[in-house]
Amino acid sequence: MIHKKSRRIHYAWVVLGVTFVGLISTASVRSVSGIIIQPLEQEFGWGREQITLAISINMLLFGLAGPFLGRLTDRFGPRIIAIAAMSLISLGVAGTLWMTQAWHFYLLWGCVVGFGSAGTSMVLASSIVNRWFLQRRGLALGILGAAMSAGQLIFTQLIMYLNTDFGWRAATLFAAVVIGCVALPLILLLLVDNPIQKRLKAYGETDLLTLPIRPSSHPMQIPLHSAGFWLLALSFGICGLTTSGLIQTHLIPHGLEHGFSEKTMALSLGVMGAADIIGTVASGWICDRFGALRPLAVYYWLRGASLFLLPYISSKDSLMIFSVFYGFNWLSTVPATSTLAANMFGKQNVGVVFGWIFFAHQLGAAIAAYGASFLHSLAGDYAITFTAAGALAALSTGLVLCIRPDEPNNYAQSEGQSNNVKV
């Protein structure tokens, strides 16, 4: 009698699934910020620049804390960082229900939620994927990037309905509950730092079971001497400026000023999320098979083209077409950028290296979140801002094409070092 060998699902996919849920949950918080701008203006009499300053602080701390939390993740594992971060986000978001002054919003939404968000970003995702996957890394990163889009797709319209029918406090409370009561318990139960803790090899690894490579003692020594690192950071900074800082924060106010309804704008962001799920997963698949460099350049070129067109959109149909076109490459840059960082500077250091690259992303986002409000106050609309953002996205195409992926290894050899040893 022939006994078929049982085929169990590798635990890497369980870890990926839990991380996916965590990133989806934190996306609910990012969905809230653009939706509650006008309700906060109406209830508290705060100006748009005051409100977006808190959002800018959030994005800046989101990025600034990333490298340090990335370093801690490399050293102590992602599980403890994810637990602490999700606890902070849930408490910070819930605390805004009782705020009465603008500085309360700066402290809670800007500082507490911003710092916590750094621990549940693509920095965490990159660390987890590079620990658990030897094969299908690009696909896994694409799936986790899609989690943010899926969160936008799932939560934006729901939060908009809660905001419209029950007020901004109901919408905000919902986000806090999703993170604290759904995602956090799953992380506590199922997230594991390394395959070795499950007596497993990384997915796709064929060598004997070995301990994980220890992070370098000075992981930024080689990146800081590499032009490729600075080109990646600058292009990813423009990525943040043209996505979460600009579109996620200001698209809804822009649409409302041009006669679109709140529900139409929520639908627009939902359509972007649906398109980005496809685009981000596809980006990971493309990176696995064709490399990351040239696809990344194409993504920025397409984004620039879509932003140039945005000021001329005047109908619901054209808005939905824009949402699909723009959505396809919203987060498609993430798998490509993370893959390049890991390949160039060592996957054992990806937490801190990608953390600094992600800081550039959030710095760009913070500049756009506040800067677009400032330009809006001068010009009366967002047309100049969208056009300038399109030009910067096109510039990113050129920056990416200047990257030489083998440069860090050449530098390491010239110094008698390697990405696989302490530097």
Side-chain angles (χ1 to χ4, degrees), residues 47-59 105-106 110 366 369-370 373:
R48 185 167 301 181
E49 290 179 51
Q50 283 182 287
I51 296 168
T52 54
L53 177 59
I55 298 172
S56 294
I57 293 170
N58 176 292
M59 292 178 176
F105 194 42
Y106 300 151
Y370 182 78
S373 290

mmCIF file of all heavy atoms in Angstrom, residues 47-59 105-106 110 366 369-370 373:
data_model
loop_
_atom_site.group_PDB
_atom_site.id
_atom_site.type_symbol
_atom_site.label_atom_id
_atom_site.label_comp_id
_atom_site.label_asym_id
_atom_site.label_seq_id
_atom_site.Cartn_x
_atom_site.Cartn_y
_atom_site.Cartn_z
ATOM 1 N N GLY A 47 -7.555 75.513 11.675
ATOM 2 C CA GLY A 47 -7.244 75.676 10.260
ATOM 3 C C GLY A 47 -6.682 74.401 9.666
ATOM 4 O O GLY A 47 -6.190 73.520 10.374
ATOM 5 N N ARG A 48 -6.757 74.317 8.348
ATOM 6 C CA ARG A 48 -6.244 73.116 7.679
ATOM 7 C C ARG A 48 -4.756 72.939 7.917
ATOM 8 O O ARG A 48 -4.265 71.812 8.054
ATOM 9 C CB ARG A 48 -6.549 73.182 6.177
ATOM 10 C CG ARG A 48 -6.158 71.922 5.420
ATOM 11 C CD ARG A 48 -6.750 71.876 4.034
ATOM 12 N NE ARG A 48 -8.212 71.945 4.081
ATOM 13 C CZ ARG A 48 -8.995 71.902 3.010
ATOM 14 N NH1 ARG A 48 -8.454 71.793 1.797
ATOM 15 N NH2 ARG A 48 -10.300 71.969 3.134
ATOM 16 N N GLU A 49 -4.012 74.037 7.973
ATOM 17 C CA GLU A 49 -2.575 73.923 8.218
ATOM 18 C C GLU A 49 -2.302 73.382 9.621
ATOM 19 O O GLU A 49 -1.347 72.640 9.826
ATOM 20 C CB GLU A 49 -1.912 75.283 8.020
ATOM 21 C CG GLU A 49 -1.880 75.732 6.564
ATOM 22 C CD GLU A 49 -1.231 77.096 6.400
ATOM 23 O OE1 GLU A 49 -0.115 77.283 6.914
ATOM 24 O OE2 GLU A 49 -1.845 77.974 5.775
ATOM 25 N N GLN A 50 -3.133 73.757 10.612
ATOM 26 C CA GLN A 50 -2.976 73.209 11.963
ATOM 27 C C GLN A 50 -3.191 71.696 11.971
ATOM 28 O O GLN A 50 -2.432 70.948 12.604
ATOM 29 C CB GLN A 50 -3.988 73.861 12.910
ATOM 30 C CG GLN A 50 -3.653 75.258 13.373
ATOM 31 C CD GLN A 50 -4.710 75.774 14.332
ATOM 32 O OE1 GLN A 50 -5.827 76.104 13.933
ATOM 33 N NE2 GLN A 50 -4.368 75.848 15.609
ATOM 34 N N ILE A 51 -4.237 71.262 11.297
ATOM 35 C CA ILE A 51 -4.573 69.832 11.295
ATOM 36 C C ILE A 51 -3.518 69.029 10.555
ATOM 37 O O ILE A 51 -3.042 67.987 11.039
ATOM 38 C CB ILE A 51 -5.965 69.616 10.673
ATOM 39 C CG1 ILE A 51 -7.036 70.299 11.533
ATOM 40 C CG2 ILE A 51 -6.274 68.120 10.530
ATOM 41 C CD1 ILE A 51 -8.387 70.391 10.864
ATOM 42 N N THR A 52 -3.111 69.511 9.383
ATOM 43 C CA THR A 52 -2.119 68.757 8.606
ATOM 44 C C THR A 52 -0.735 68.825 9.240
ATOM 45 O O THR A 52 0.116 67.989 8.942
ATOM 46 C CB THR A 52 -2.065 69.250 7.155
ATOM 47 O OG1 THR A 52 -1.839 70.667 7.132
ATOM 48 C CG2 THR A 52 -3.365 68.940 6.430
ATOM 49 N N LEU A 53 -0.492 69.809 10.131
ATOM 50 C CA LEU A 53 0.772 69.801 10.870
ATOM 51 C C LEU A 53 0.862 68.559 11.741
ATOM 52 O O LEU A 53 1.922 67.912 11.822
ATOM 53 C CB LEU A 53 0.893 71.065 11.724
ATOM 54 C CG LEU A 53 2.156 71.154 12.605
ATOM 55 C CD1 LEU A 53 3.413 71.092 11.756
ATOM 56 C CD2 LEU A 53 2.128 72.433 13.449
ATOM 57 N N ALA A 54 -0.239 68.175 12.407
ATOM 58 C CA ALA A 54 -0.245 66.948 13.209
ATOM 59 C C ALA A 54 -0.010 65.722 12.328
ATOM 60 O O ALA A 54 0.726 64.789 12.710
ATOM 61 C CB ALA A 54 -1.575 66.811 13.946
ATOM 62 N N ILE A 55 -0.616 65.719 11.145
ATOM 63 C CA ILE A 55 -0.417 64.599 10.213
ATOM 64 C C ILE A 55 1.034 64.567 9.750
ATOM 65 O O ILE A 55 1.638 63.483 9.601
ATOM 66 C CB ILE A 55 -1.395 64.716 9.033
ATOM 67 C CG1 ILE A 55 -2.846 64.628 9.533
ATOM 68 C CG2 ILE A 55 -1.130 63.633 7.990
ATOM 69 C CD1 ILE A 55 -3.893 64.917 8.482
ATOM 70 N N SER A 56 1.631 65.741 9.529
ATOM 71 C CA SER A 56 3.037 65.805 9.121
ATOM 72 C C SER A 56 3.957 65.290 10.226
ATOM 73 O O SER A 56 4.922 64.568 9.964
ATOM 74 C CB SER A 56 3.418 67.253 8.767
ATOM 75 O OG SER A 56 2.726 67.697 7.638
ATOM 76 N N ILE A 57 3.662 65.675 11.484
ATOM 77 C CA ILE A 57 4.446 65.160 12.615
ATOM 78 C C ILE A 57 4.348 63.638 12.664
ATOM 79 O O ILE A 57 5.349 62.930 12.871
ATOM 80 C CB ILE A 57 3.961 65.782 13.934
ATOM 81 C CG1 ILE A 57 4.258 67.277 13.975
ATOM 82 C CG2 ILE A 57 4.620 65.087 15.137
ATOM 83 C CD1 ILE A 57 3.600 68.009 15.134
ATOM 84 N N ASN A 58 3.139 63.121 12.466
ATOM 85 C CA ASN A 58 2.917 61.676 12.430
ATOM 86 C C ASN A 58 3.810 61.014 11.389
ATOM 87 O O ASN A 58 4.519 60.035 11.667
ATOM 88 C CB ASN A 58 1.433 61.416 12.145
ATOM 89 C CG ASN A 58 1.095 59.948 11.978
ATOM 90 O OD1 ASN A 58 1.501 59.322 11.010
ATOM 91 N ND2 ASN A 58 0.320 59.408 12.901
ATOM 92 N N MET A 59 3.784 61.555 10.178
ATOM 93 C CA MET A 59 4.556 60.954 9.084
ATOM 94 C C MET A 59 6.049 61.075 9.317
ATOM 95 O O MET A 59 6.818 60.153 9.016
ATOM 96 C CB MET A 59 4.159 61.607 7.759
ATOM 97 C CG MET A 59 2.748 61.284 7.322
ATOM 98 S SD MET A 59 2.294 62.124 5.791
ATOM 99 C CE MET A 59 0.662 61.425 5.511
ATOM 100 N N PHE A 105 -3.951 66.910 19.742
ATOM 101 C CA PHE A 105 -3.892 66.210 18.454
ATOM 102 C C PHE A 105 -2.437 66.005 18.024
ATOM 103 O O PHE A 105 -2.063 64.939 17.536
ATOM 104 C CB PHE A 105 -4.657 67.014 17.402
ATOM 105 C CG PHE A 105 -4.964 66.261 16.131
ATOM 106 C CD1 PHE A 105 -5.396 64.948 16.158
ATOM 107 C CD2 PHE A 105 -4.834 66.884 14.902
ATOM 108 C CE1 PHE A 105 -5.687 64.261 14.987
ATOM 109 C CE2 PHE A 105 -5.126 66.214 13.728
ATOM 110 C CZ PHE A 105 -5.557 64.898 13.769
ATOM 111 N N TYR A 106 -1.602 67.026 18.246
ATOM 112 C CA TYR A 106 -0.180 66.896 17.899
ATOM 113 C C TYR A 106 0.484 65.787 18.720
ATOM 114 O O TYR A 106 1.272 64.991 18.201
ATOM 115 C CB TYR A 106 0.565 68.211 18.145
ATOM 116 C CG TYR A 106 0.049 69.390 17.356
ATOM 117 C CD1 TYR A 106 0.174 70.683 17.857
ATOM 118 C CD2 TYR A 106 -0.566 69.224 16.116
ATOM 119 C CE1 TYR A 106 -0.299 71.779 17.143
ATOM 120 C CE2 TYR A 106 -1.044 70.303 15.399
ATOM 121 C CZ TYR A 106 -0.917 71.576 15.911
ATOM 122 O OH TYR A 106 -1.389 72.646 15.206
ATOM 123 N N GLY A 110 0.088 62.941 16.270
ATOM 124 C CA GLY A 110 1.401 63.201 15.706
ATOM 125 C C GLY A 110 2.492 62.337 16.305
ATOM 126 O O GLY A 110 3.216 61.652 15.586
ATOM 127 N N ALA A 366 5.845 63.916 4.928
ATOM 128 C CA ALA A 366 5.580 65.011 5.868
ATOM 129 C C ALA A 366 5.662 66.363 5.176
ATOM 130 O O ALA A 366 4.844 67.263 5.424
ATOM 131 C CB ALA A 366 6.578 64.948 7.025
ATOM 132 N N ALA A 369 2.453 66.687 3.119
ATOM 133 C CA ALA A 369 1.232 66.845 3.915
ATOM 134 C C ALA A 369 1.051 68.295 4.360
ATOM 135 O O ALA A 369 -0.054 68.860 4.253
ATOM 136 C CB ALA A 369 1.260 65.920 5.127
ATOM 137 N N TYR A 370 2.133 68.911 4.847
ATOM 138 C CA TYR A 370 2.042 70.306 5.279
ATOM 139 C C TYR A 370 2.232 71.264 4.107
ATOM 140 O O TYR A 370 1.514 72.267 3.980
ATOM 141 C CB TYR A 370 3.072 70.596 6.362
ATOM 142 C CG TYR A 370 2.996 72.018 6.871
ATOM 143 C CD1 TYR A 370 2.001 72.392 7.774
ATOM 144 C CD2 TYR A 370 3.890 72.993 6.434
ATOM 145 C CE1 TYR A 370 1.903 73.696 8.236
ATOM 146 C CE2 TYR A 370 3.805 74.300 6.881
ATOM 147 C CZ TYR A 370 2.813 74.644 7.782
ATOM 148 O OH TYR A 370 2.718 75.934 8.225
ATOM 149 N N SER A 373 -0.787 72.023 1.943
ATOM 150 C CA SER A 373 -1.713 72.956 2.594
ATOM 151 C C SER A 373 -1.217 74.390 2.466
ATOM 152 O O SER A 373 -2.002 75.318 2.222
ATOM 153 C CB SER A 373 -1.867 72.605 4.078
ATOM 154 O OG SER A 373 -2.567 71.403 4.243
#
